[in-house]
Amino acid sequence: MAKQGYHGPLEQIDECCWRIPRSYKLGMRVEGRIFADERLLQQVRHDQAPEQVANVAFLPGIQMASLAMPDIHWGYGFCIGGVSATDPAEGGVISPGGVGYDINCGVRLVRTNLKYEDVGPRLESLMTALYRQIPAGVGTGGPYLFGGKELRQLLAEGTPYLAKRGLATEDDLEHTEAGGCLAGANPDCVSQRAMQRGGDQCGTLGSGNHFLEVQIVDEILDDSAARTIGLEKDQVCVMIHSGSRGLGYQVCDDALLALRKAPAKYGIDLPDRQLACAPVHSDEGQQYLAAMRCAANFAWANRQLLMWQTREIFAEFFGRSWESMQMGLVYDVAHNIAKIEEHTVEGRLKTVCVHRKGATRAFSAGHRELPSQYRSIGQPVIIPGDMGRASWVLVGQPGSMEKTFGTTCHGAGRVMSRTAAVQDAKGRRIDRELAEKGIIAKCRSWKGLAEEQPAAYKDVSLVVDVVHRAGLASKVARLRPMGVVKG
Amino acid sequence: MGRKSTYRRLLNGLQRTLLLCRIVNLAGISTILVMYEIFEHTADLGIRVRGESADQLFADAAKALFSVMVSNLRDVRPTEEIVLDVVGDDFEELLHDWLAELLFTFHVRRLVLCEFQVRVVPGGLTAVAKGEAIDPARHEIDVEVKAVTWHGLKLEHESSGWVAEVIVDI
């Protein structure tokens, strides 16, 4: 399969949105809509991602449109940056491919009361301490072991279970999407293989694009929202990006196996096997939902334990308690997940199954699921960029509720394949190039750093600019990386 | 400029293919040439394998998977032997399930496998795989393959032999 661009139709709806009409492919139940501007559009056409947006429009029960965010890129089955909502009452389906292998991959941001001058002079040794102590890399286990019964409790209860064990505070739970626990998680639906694969990995970073970054608030764009969130210029923060590790990958794999025959059984015609799905109300659909929720809970617990370790490392390094450094959680967001939510579709309130694959929930101000602290400004959205440029904090806007089932982008989006990035980095030392920009990067392998080099990604600021202009989420603060630990 | 960059791309592609041809010594018994190539996929990685027979194709696909994860696979010692059986009638599904089983073995039994003898039989396959326990000090493991996807999965019998394509999630 050679890499090819997309040559199908993309009709401009407005300055930030483009349509793939239903007439493009026989079988599309709704149109496709891609959020992008003229600058990003060329990159959007660069691969087969728009074709995948059209394919997702085949799903039974799909509502409004098959959507894609401006960080869209070619995935497997569903594109990355894709959003689709199905109505179970209209035969709507759930598809593991619409969530992805890394169930509840997500990001959290931790604030501190440290300033650049507190950390800058000692950055190298701080990054070395984080690199040595945060478990990372392929298949690496961590210091937290959960035996059979404990693991089942963790899967059923998520982060609140860690609070019972003294590894999370009430404030942490309040500032995590869904409180760090999806109801309806049933460990009986998680295979032994999945438990074996991820049982010792809670509290580990993993590899690939996962990271822990020490960042500095570079610019505040919305003073009032930034004050409410507790961010100010020159403040040091920590951003953590990881997911459900081997447990989640295996849950997805198991589900795809279980659903292999489901499309034929339910008479669903699909253009790609990776879109395998079953009606939400079917046994197969319910089994997957129950298992996926376990993996999502595991992922929230994973990021919680990564944050907990970070707090302990900071406390030891600076010789003060983490509480005295005010290392509170700003927010934790999932960007690979399926959730049952209420949305107004064409004037009617409906209960739909929202698939977000490489897309972030961005509820607007006043939503009842938001913590009281943020209810007046909208949900904080954490958008990681590449390790050389910037990351962003946004807040959800009413446009997301109207146009995207309360969703916005999730990151920069790849523009270079991994092989191309490695080829591009031949003969270069990415860590030295970053060091020249004042960024300390710690990674176990040259190849890992080469694959994740800044040039492999779109400029996240261009992506964020589109969702801001489209009214999906608005800019609050830009952060720039000081130090990076890659998985 | 156009012609020059096309030429360079061709050359790079050729070099990549050649670099990925590994000569593997099968416990001193015989030496085989493993042919596979990596093809580009924006976020993930595609593996294309060719084989004269289905048995060889499945063995080479396994080697390709481990080569993606372990960059110095040639240094892995075939000291431990395991037997794997995978059930399935559909060749494409069988290839997926075989590679998924190997991935599980890597992550859970923590074995790096470097030699494979595969026999595709009616109703599935039976395989003997050799390798050793993961040793981070000696094994250069720099890519985590999360899963073997169904997207673009292809296994065909052409006049020149067997060819398979699989995209893995990284």
Side-chain angles (χ1 to χ4, degrees):
Chain A
M1 186 192 295
K3 185 170 178 165
Q4 296 160 343
Y6 171 75
H7 303 293
L10 278 174
E11 303 167 356
Q12 187 156 20
I13 298 174
D14 58 39
E15 62 154 347
C16 293
C17 193
W18 306 76
R19 173 191 297 122
I20 302 174
R22 273 184 70 186
S23 57
Y24 174 51
K25 278 183 150 180
L26 192 65
M28 284 175 71
R29 294 168 194 262
V30 290
E31 65 185 35
R33 282 181 209 156
I34 298 174
F35 287 83
D37 62 8
E38 292 274 5
R39 286 175 298 181
L40 288 174
L41 200 67
Q42 223 177 347
Q43 290 174 350
V44 169
R45 283 192 176 278
H46 185 72
D47 59 28
Q48 286 295 304
E51 193 70 29
Q52 296 183 318
V53 174
N55 289 347
V56 169
F58 281 63
L59 295 182
I62 188 165
Q63 301 292 300
M64 190 163 72
S66 166
L67 302 161
M69 296 296 126
D71 46 343
I72 176 176
H73 59 267
W74 198 16
Y76 35 86
F78 288 68
C79 68
I80 316 292
V83 184
S84 54
T86 59
D87 183 353
E90 294 175 22
V93 292
I94 182 154
S95 173
V99 174
Y101 285 98
D102 197 355
I103 296 164
N104 190 4
C105 185
V107 196
R108 66 171 52 194
L109 184 69
V110 189
R111 62 173 91 76
T112 75
N113 62 6
L114 303 172
K115 294 287 184 184
Y116 183 83
E117 55 269 25
D118 301 319
V119 176
R122 304 172 65 190
L123 185 61
E124 175 69 49
S125 39
L126 175 64
M127 294 316 298
T128 302
L130 288 165
Y131 176 67
R132 286 202 182 132
Q133 293 178 59
I134 297 283
V138 180
T140 306
Y144 303 101
L145 291 175
F146 297 92
K149 201 177 151 197
E150 293 167 317
L151 183 60
R152 289 175 62 84
Q153 259 184 294
L154 182 83
L155 295 178
E157 297 173 31
T159 320
Y161 172 69
L162 295 180
K164 286 189 206 163
R165 306 248 324 229
L167 296 164
T169 66
E170 281 304 315
D171 188 71
D172 294 339
L173 304 187
E174 202 188 335
H175 293 96
T176 303
E177 182 175 328
C181 175
L182 286 184
N186 182 358
D188 289 340
C189 296
V190 176
S191 70
Q192 267 308 312
R193 284 167 80 89
M195 297 215 195
Q196 277 176 290
R197 199 163 155 192
D200 66 343
Q201 293 183 348
C202 204
T204 68
L205 201 54
S207 67
N209 61 358
H210 295 158
F211 66 77
L212 182 148
E213 278 186 14
V214 175
Q215 303 176 339
I216 189 113
V217 179
D218 202 26
E219 191 181 358
I220 299 286
L221 291 107
D222 180 341
D223 281 325
S224 165
R227 251 196 314 279
T228 305
I229 292 173
L231 294 177
E232 59 184 32
K233 192 165 160 48
D234 289 334
Q235 178 183 10
V236 172
C237 293
V238 179
M239 189 175 280
I240 294 166
H241 178 206
S242 188
S244 49
R245 311 288 291 107
L247 185 135
Y249 315 157
Q250 192 64 43
V251 165
C252 180
D253 217 28
D254 292 343
L256 288 168
L257 183 66
L259 290 179
R260 205 181 272 181
K261 306 266 188 283
K265 178 177 168 187
Y266 294 103
I268 302 168
D269 192 20
L270 296 170
D272 184 337
R273 265 190 291 189
Q274 192 76 34
L275 298 176
C277 57
V280 175
H281 286 323
S282 66
D283 285 347
E284 293 93 335
Q286 289 296 310
Q287 287 262 337
Y288 169 65
L289 260 175
M292 185 221 64
R293 287 165 174 159
C294 287
N297 292 347
F298 184 86
W300 274 311
N302 181 37
R303 290 196 290 279
Q304 175 67 28
L305 289 178
L306 285 165
M307 177 178 76
W308 201 261
Q309 293 171 85
T310 304
R311 284 169 171 169
E312 287 175 340
I313 294 164
F314 266 65
E316 193 186 339
F317 187 83
F318 290 103
R320 299 158 57 188
S321 71
W322 66 263
E323 289 92 342
S324 76
M325 286 182 277
Q326 296 174 5
M327 294 182 73
L329 176 59
V330 170
Y331 207 61
D332 178 300
V333 289
H335 55 220
N336 281 1
I337 203 158
K339 287 168 99 177
I340 307 295
E341 295 174 356
E342 284 187 344
H343 288 278
T344 304
V345 186
E346 286 152 5
R348 281 176 55 207
L349 188 66
K350 288 188 171 186
T351 301
V352 291
C353 177
V354 184
H355 299 74
R356 298 190 178 99
K357 185 184 185 183
T360 317
R361 197 187 73 174
F363 283 169
S364 62
H367 199 286
R368 66 173 187 277
E369 279 198 39
L370 299 189
S372 53
Q373 185 190 345
Y374 300 141
R375 208 161 290 164
S376 64
I377 57 166
Q379 179 209 307
V381 181
I382 319 294
I383 307 292
D386 64 75
M387 59 174 121
R389 282 176 281 196
S391 292
W392 285 85
V393 176
L394 316 175
V395 284
Q397 289 297 304
S400 78
M401 308 311 288
E402 293 156 18
K403 301 178 196 169
T404 56
F405 302 101
T407 312
T408 190
C409 61
H410 88 307
R414 284 194 83 90
V415 69
M416 213 184 257
S417 72
R418 292 176 187 279
T419 40
V422 169
Q423 196 71 21
D424 181 74
K426 284 247 162 77
R428 289 162 54 200
R429 286 283 303 267
I430 304 294
D431 54 345
R432 285 194 193 144
E433 290 174 19
L434 289 167
E436 281 167 19
K437 294 163 81 176
I439 301 163
I440 293 169
K442 303 276 183 191
C443 186
R444 276 155 185 82
S445 79
W446 173 88
K447 198 172 167 193
L449 217 47
E451 285 182 355
E452 293 296 318
Q453 60 164 312
Y457 286 89
K458 293 177 194 170
D459 182 350
V460 71
S461 299
L462 296 180
V463 170
V464 163
D465 206 46
V466 171
V467 299
H468 180 89
R469 282 191 284 142
L472 307 182
S474 63
K475 298 176 189 176
V476 175
R478 191 182 64 228
L479 298 96
R480 71 180 155 83
M482 295 172 70
V484 188
V485 175
K486 291 301 291 184
Chain B
M1 158 101 188
R3 193 179 302 165
K4 199 172 169 188
S5 63
T6 307
Y7 171 72
R8 192 173 298 148
R9 250 197 323 270
L10 275 172
L11 195 66
N12 281 342
L14 188 65
Q15 279 172 344
R16 203 174 309 147
T17 308
L18 291 175
L19 276 173
L20 293 170
C21 298
R22 303 261 163 111
I23 293 171
V24 179
N25 193 316
L26 262 181
I29 300 165
S30 62
T31 300
I32 61 164
L33 189 67
V34 181
M35 282 292 289
Y36 74 93
E37 49 187 313
I38 300 296
F39 61 90
E40 295 194 350
H41 190 270
T42 312
D44 304 304
L45 209 67
I47 300 169
R48 185 178 296 120
V49 192
R50 293 174 206 281
E52 282 175 12
S53 65
D55 292 358
Q56 193 205 325
L57 186 93
F58 275 73
D60 286 359
K63 226 166 290 176
L65 176 70
F66 277 93
S67 300
V68 164
M69 297 191 286
V70 185
S71 39
N72 62 339
L73 195 66
R74 73 188 68 190
D75 299 330
V76 173
R77 300 165 189 154
T79 51
E80 217 171 303
E81 182 178 295
I82 58 167
V83 176
L84 294 165
D85 292 305
V86 183
V87 180
D89 290 321
D90 178 292
F91 263 21
E92 285 178 356
E93 290 180 5
L94 189 62
L95 177 66
H96 172 277
D97 294 352
W98 159 238
L99 296 178
E101 189 61 38
L102 292 169
L103 203 54
F104 181 79
T105 306
F106 172 75
H107 284 293
V108 174
R109 296 172 74 171
R110 305 192 65 74
L111 284 174
V112 190
L113 300 170
C114 58
E115 290 181 14
F116 305 87
Q117 281 175 317
V118 182
R119 231 159 46 83
V120 178
V121 293
L125 66 79
T126 181
V128 177
K130 291 180 185 174
E132 61 176 328
I134 295 175
D135 178 358
R138 285 194 301 110
H139 302 144
E140 292 168 18
I141 302 169
D142 42 31
V143 174
E144 177 173 44
V145 172
K146 292 176 186 167
V148 180
T149 80
W150 291 94
H151 178 60
L153 179 66
K154 199 173 91 175
L155 196 157
E156 284 168 0
H157 190 200
E158 296 172 347
S159 54
S160 56
W162 295 77
V163 60
E165 287 183 1
V166 59
I167 293 170
V168 296
D169 184 22
I170 290 176

PDB file of all heavy atoms in Angstrom, chain B residues 82-101:
ATOM      1  N   ILE B  82       9.880 -22.407  22.028  1.00  0.00           N
ATOM      2  CA  ILE B  82       8.471 -22.561  22.399  1.00  0.00           C
ATOM      3  C   ILE B  82       7.678 -23.060  21.189  1.00  0.00           C
ATOM      4  O   ILE B  82       8.086 -22.856  20.045  1.00  0.00           O
ATOM      5  CB  ILE B  82       7.832 -21.243  22.920  1.00  0.00           C
ATOM      6  CG1 ILE B  82       7.935 -20.126  21.876  1.00  0.00           C
ATOM      7  CG2 ILE B  82       8.438 -20.808  24.229  1.00  0.00           C
ATOM      8  CD1 ILE B  82       7.055 -18.935  22.197  1.00  0.00           C
ATOM      9  N   VAL B  83       6.569 -23.713  21.477  1.00  0.00           N
ATOM     10  CA  VAL B  83       5.698 -24.203  20.409  1.00  0.00           C
ATOM     11  C   VAL B  83       4.400 -23.401  20.459  1.00  0.00           C
ATOM     12  O   VAL B  83       3.845 -23.199  21.538  1.00  0.00           O
ATOM     13  CB  VAL B  83       5.407 -25.711  20.585  1.00  0.00           C
ATOM     14  CG1 VAL B  83       4.425 -26.193  19.527  1.00  0.00           C
ATOM     15  CG2 VAL B  83       6.697 -26.504  20.518  1.00  0.00           C
ATOM     16  N   LEU B  84       3.966 -22.911  19.331  1.00  0.00           N
ATOM     17  CA  LEU B  84       2.734 -22.128  19.272  1.00  0.00           C
ATOM     18  C   LEU B  84       1.790 -22.734  18.242  1.00  0.00           C
ATOM     19  O   LEU B  84       2.225 -23.124  17.152  1.00  0.00           O
ATOM     20  CB  LEU B  84       3.041 -20.677  18.877  1.00  0.00           C
ATOM     21  CG  LEU B  84       3.858 -19.839  19.862  1.00  0.00           C
ATOM     22  CD1 LEU B  84       4.375 -18.577  19.194  1.00  0.00           C
ATOM     23  CD2 LEU B  84       3.020 -19.476  21.077  1.00  0.00           C
ATOM     24  N   ASP B  85       0.536 -22.814  18.600  1.00  0.00           N
ATOM     25  CA  ASP B  85      -0.491 -23.264  17.650  1.00  0.00           C
ATOM     26  C   ASP B  85      -1.520 -22.158  17.512  1.00  0.00           C
ATOM     27  O   ASP B  85      -1.968 -21.608  18.514  1.00  0.00           O
ATOM     28  CB  ASP B  85      -1.187 -24.529  18.164  1.00  0.00           C
ATOM     29  CG  ASP B  85      -0.245 -25.710  18.177  1.00  0.00           C
ATOM     30  OD1 ASP B  85       0.325 -26.013  17.119  1.00  0.00           O
ATOM     31  OD2 ASP B  85      -0.051 -26.309  19.254  1.00  0.00           O
ATOM     32  N   VAL B  86      -1.859 -21.835  16.300  1.00  0.00           N
ATOM     33  CA  VAL B  86      -2.889 -20.822  16.073  1.00  0.00           C
ATOM     34  C   VAL B  86      -3.964 -21.442  15.183  1.00  0.00           C
ATOM     35  O   VAL B  86      -3.646 -22.096  14.175  1.00  0.00           O
ATOM     36  CB  VAL B  86      -2.306 -19.552  15.404  1.00  0.00           C
ATOM     37  CG1 VAL B  86      -3.386 -18.482  15.259  1.00  0.00           C
ATOM     38  CG2 VAL B  86      -1.144 -18.998  16.225  1.00  0.00           C
ATOM     39  N   VAL B  87      -5.219 -21.246  15.569  1.00  0.00           N
ATOM     40  CA  VAL B  87      -6.334 -21.853  14.844  1.00  0.00           C
ATOM     41  C   VAL B  87      -6.961 -20.836  13.895  1.00  0.00           C
ATOM     42  O   VAL B  87      -7.063 -19.659  14.230  1.00  0.00           O
ATOM     43  CB  VAL B  87      -7.400 -22.345  15.857  1.00  0.00           C
ATOM     44  CG1 VAL B  87      -8.588 -22.983  15.152  1.00  0.00           C
ATOM     45  CG2 VAL B  87      -6.767 -23.336  16.833  1.00  0.00           C
ATOM     46  N   GLY B  88      -7.362 -21.281  12.725  1.00  0.00           N
ATOM     47  CA  GLY B  88      -8.055 -20.386  11.787  1.00  0.00           C
ATOM     48  C   GLY B  88      -8.008 -20.910  10.367  1.00  0.00           C
ATOM     49  O   GLY B  88      -7.041 -21.565   9.981  1.00  0.00           O
ATOM     50  N   ASP B  89      -9.071 -20.644   9.613  1.00  0.00           N
ATOM     51  CA  ASP B  89      -9.142 -21.122   8.228  1.00  0.00           C
ATOM     52  C   ASP B  89      -8.772 -20.041   7.225  1.00  0.00           C
ATOM     53  O   ASP B  89      -8.184 -20.308   6.201  1.00  0.00           O
ATOM     54  CB  ASP B  89     -10.575 -21.602   7.916  1.00  0.00           C
ATOM     55  CG  ASP B  89     -10.877 -22.878   8.664  1.00  0.00           C
ATOM     56  OD1 ASP B  89      -9.972 -23.723   8.754  1.00  0.00           O
ATOM     57  OD2 ASP B  89     -12.000 -23.013   9.171  1.00  0.00           O
ATOM     58  N   ASP B  90      -9.158 -18.812   7.542  1.00  0.00           N
ATOM     59  CA  ASP B  90      -8.913 -17.705   6.630  1.00  0.00           C
ATOM     60  C   ASP B  90      -7.447 -17.271   6.764  1.00  0.00           C
ATOM     61  O   ASP B  90      -6.981 -16.964   7.860  1.00  0.00           O
ATOM     62  CB  ASP B  90      -9.862 -16.560   7.017  1.00  0.00           C
ATOM     63  CG  ASP B  90      -9.660 -15.337   6.152  1.00  0.00           C
ATOM     64  OD1 ASP B  90      -8.591 -14.691   6.262  1.00  0.00           O
ATOM     65  OD2 ASP B  90     -10.568 -15.034   5.378  1.00  0.00           O
ATOM     66  N   PHE B  91      -6.719 -17.250   5.656  1.00  0.00           N
ATOM     67  CA  PHE B  91      -5.281 -16.966   5.707  1.00  0.00           C
ATOM     68  C   PHE B  91      -4.961 -15.596   6.291  1.00  0.00           C
ATOM     69  O   PHE B  91      -4.006 -15.442   7.045  1.00  0.00           O
ATOM     70  CB  PHE B  91      -4.679 -17.108   4.304  1.00  0.00           C
ATOM     71  CG  PHE B  91      -4.046 -18.449   4.081  1.00  0.00           C
ATOM     72  CD1 PHE B  91      -4.401 -19.529   4.859  1.00  0.00           C
ATOM     73  CD2 PHE B  91      -3.081 -18.622   3.103  1.00  0.00           C
ATOM     74  CE1 PHE B  91      -3.820 -20.782   4.662  1.00  0.00           C
ATOM     75  CE2 PHE B  91      -2.479 -19.854   2.892  1.00  0.00           C
ATOM     76  CZ  PHE B  91      -2.864 -20.941   3.684  1.00  0.00           C
ATOM     77  N   GLU B  92      -5.753 -14.587   5.885  1.00  0.00           N
ATOM     78  CA  GLU B  92      -5.481 -13.236   6.403  1.00  0.00           C
ATOM     79  C   GLU B  92      -5.717 -13.183   7.904  1.00  0.00           C
ATOM     80  O   GLU B  92      -4.927 -12.611   8.656  1.00  0.00           O
ATOM     81  CB  GLU B  92      -6.352 -12.197   5.681  1.00  0.00           C
ATOM     82  CG  GLU B  92      -5.844 -11.927   4.278  1.00  0.00           C
ATOM     83  CD  GLU B  92      -6.695 -10.932   3.505  1.00  0.00           C
ATOM     84  OE1 GLU B  92      -7.745 -10.497   4.027  1.00  0.00           O
ATOM     85  OE2 GLU B  92      -6.304 -10.602   2.377  1.00  0.00           O
ATOM     86  N   GLU B  93      -6.819 -13.786   8.349  1.00  0.00           N
ATOM     87  CA  GLU B  93      -7.097 -13.796   9.792  1.00  0.00           C
ATOM     88  C   GLU B  93      -6.024 -14.579  10.535  1.00  0.00           C
ATOM     89  O   GLU B  93      -5.602 -14.206  11.624  1.00  0.00           O
ATOM     90  CB  GLU B  93      -8.483 -14.409  10.046  1.00  0.00           C
ATOM     91  CG  GLU B  93      -9.619 -13.508   9.577  1.00  0.00           C
ATOM     92  CD  GLU B  93     -11.004 -14.083   9.812  1.00  0.00           C
ATOM     93  OE1 GLU B  93     -11.121 -15.162  10.429  1.00  0.00           O
ATOM     94  OE2 GLU B  93     -11.968 -13.441   9.360  1.00  0.00           O
ATOM     95  N   LEU B  94      -5.577 -15.644   9.904  1.00  0.00           N
ATOM     96  CA  LEU B  94      -4.540 -16.476  10.529  1.00  0.00           C
ATOM     97  C   LEU B  94      -3.240 -15.680  10.686  1.00  0.00           C
ATOM     98  O   LEU B  94      -2.573 -15.758  11.730  1.00  0.00           O
ATOM     99  CB  LEU B  94      -4.293 -17.718   9.665  1.00  0.00           C
ATOM    100  CG  LEU B  94      -3.404 -18.798  10.275  1.00  0.00           C
ATOM    101  CD1 LEU B  94      -4.016 -19.382  11.549  1.00  0.00           C
ATOM    102  CD2 LEU B  94      -3.155 -19.923   9.265  1.00  0.00           C
ATOM    103  N   LEU B  95      -2.897 -14.893   9.672  1.00  0.00           N
ATOM    104  CA  LEU B  95      -1.684 -14.074   9.747  1.00  0.00           C
ATOM    105  C   LEU B  95      -1.811 -13.054  10.885  1.00  0.00           C
ATOM    106  O   LEU B  95      -0.886 -12.875  11.680  1.00  0.00           O
ATOM    107  CB  LEU B  95      -1.456 -13.339   8.412  1.00  0.00           C
ATOM    108  CG  LEU B  95      -0.247 -12.403   8.395  1.00  0.00           C
ATOM    109  CD1 LEU B  95       1.065 -13.179   8.535  1.00  0.00           C
ATOM    110  CD2 LEU B  95      -0.218 -11.561   7.110  1.00  0.00           C
ATOM    111  N   HIS B  96      -2.963 -12.405  10.952  1.00  0.00           N
ATOM    112  CA  HIS B  96      -3.194 -11.430  12.031  1.00  0.00           C
ATOM    113  C   HIS B  96      -3.049 -12.104  13.394  1.00  0.00           C
ATOM    114  O   HIS B  96      -2.329 -11.630  14.271  1.00  0.00           O
ATOM    115  CB  HIS B  96      -4.594 -10.821  11.898  1.00  0.00           C
ATOM    116  CG  HIS B  96      -4.973  -9.968  13.067  1.00  0.00           C
ATOM    117  ND1 HIS B  96      -5.492 -10.506  14.230  1.00  0.00           N
ATOM    118  CD2 HIS B  96      -4.859  -8.639  13.287  1.00  0.00           C
ATOM    119  CE1 HIS B  96      -5.686  -9.535  15.107  1.00  0.00           C
ATOM    120  NE2 HIS B  96      -5.323  -8.394  14.549  1.00  0.00           N
ATOM    121  N   ASP B  97      -3.729 -13.254  13.551  1.00  0.00           N
ATOM    122  CA  ASP B  97      -3.752 -13.909  14.861  1.00  0.00           C
ATOM    123  C   ASP B  97      -2.370 -14.447  15.248  1.00  0.00           C
ATOM    124  O   ASP B  97      -1.992 -14.453  16.420  1.00  0.00           O
ATOM    125  CB  ASP B  97      -4.794 -15.034  14.870  1.00  0.00           C
ATOM    126  CG  ASP B  97      -6.218 -14.482  14.718  1.00  0.00           C
ATOM    127  OD1 ASP B  97      -6.375 -13.243  14.764  1.00  0.00           O
ATOM    128  OD2 ASP B  97      -7.146 -15.282  14.542  1.00  0.00           O
ATOM    129  N   TRP B  98      -1.634 -14.882  14.257  1.00  0.00           N
ATOM    130  CA  TRP B  98      -0.270 -15.389  14.491  1.00  0.00           C
ATOM    131  C   TRP B  98       0.629 -14.264  15.004  1.00  0.00           C
ATOM    132  O   TRP B  98       1.309 -14.397  16.015  1.00  0.00           O
ATOM    133  CB  TRP B  98       0.233 -15.982  13.169  1.00  0.00           C
ATOM    134  CG  TRP B  98       1.708 -16.140  12.947  1.00  0.00           C
ATOM    135  CD1 TRP B  98       2.420 -15.597  11.927  1.00  0.00           C
ATOM    136  CD2 TRP B  98       2.657 -16.944  13.696  1.00  0.00           C
ATOM    137  NE1 TRP B  98       3.732 -15.983  11.990  1.00  0.00           N
ATOM    138  CE2 TRP B  98       3.902 -16.811  13.063  1.00  0.00           C
ATOM    139  CE3 TRP B  98       2.560 -17.734  14.839  1.00  0.00           C
ATOM    140  CZ2 TRP B  98       5.056 -17.443  13.531  1.00  0.00           C
ATOM    141  CZ3 TRP B  98       3.714 -18.373  15.309  1.00  0.00           C
ATOM    142  CH2 TRP B  98       4.930 -18.219  14.658  1.00  0.00           C
ATOM    143  N   LEU B  99       0.586 -13.124  14.337  1.00  0.00           N
ATOM    144  CA  LEU B  99       1.424 -11.999  14.761  1.00  0.00           C
ATOM    145  C   LEU B  99       0.958 -11.457  16.117  1.00  0.00           C
ATOM    146  O   LEU B  99       1.775 -11.076  16.956  1.00  0.00           O
ATOM    147  CB  LEU B  99       1.412 -10.894  13.699  1.00  0.00           C
ATOM    148  CG  LEU B  99       2.031 -11.287  12.345  1.00  0.00           C
ATOM    149  CD1 LEU B  99       1.918 -10.136  11.345  1.00  0.00           C
ATOM    150  CD2 LEU B  99       3.493 -11.710  12.492  1.00  0.00           C
ATOM    151  N   ALA B 100      -0.364 -11.444  16.332  1.00  0.00           N
ATOM    152  CA  ALA B 100      -0.895 -10.970  17.626  1.00  0.00           C
ATOM    153  C   ALA B 100      -0.433 -11.899  18.755  1.00  0.00           C
ATOM    154  O   ALA B 100      -0.099 -11.450  19.855  1.00  0.00           O
ATOM    155  CB  ALA B 100      -2.418 -10.898  17.574  1.00  0.00           C
ATOM    156  N   GLU B 101      -0.393 -13.203  18.458  1.00  0.00           N
ATOM    157  CA  GLU B 101       0.065 -14.174  19.462  1.00  0.00           C
ATOM    158  C   GLU B 101       1.539 -13.941  19.809  1.00  0.00           C
ATOM    159  O   GLU B 101       1.951 -14.017  20.971  1.00  0.00           O
ATOM    160  CB  GLU B 101      -0.143 -15.600  18.911  1.00  0.00           C
ATOM    161  CG  GLU B 101       0.085 -16.713  19.905  1.00  0.00           C
ATOM    162  CD  GLU B 101      -0.859 -16.653  21.099  1.00  0.00           C
ATOM    163  OE1 GLU B 101      -2.033 -16.310  20.908  1.00  0.00           O
ATOM    164  OE2 GLU B 101      -0.395 -16.937  22.223  1.00  0.00           O
TER     165      GLU B 101
END
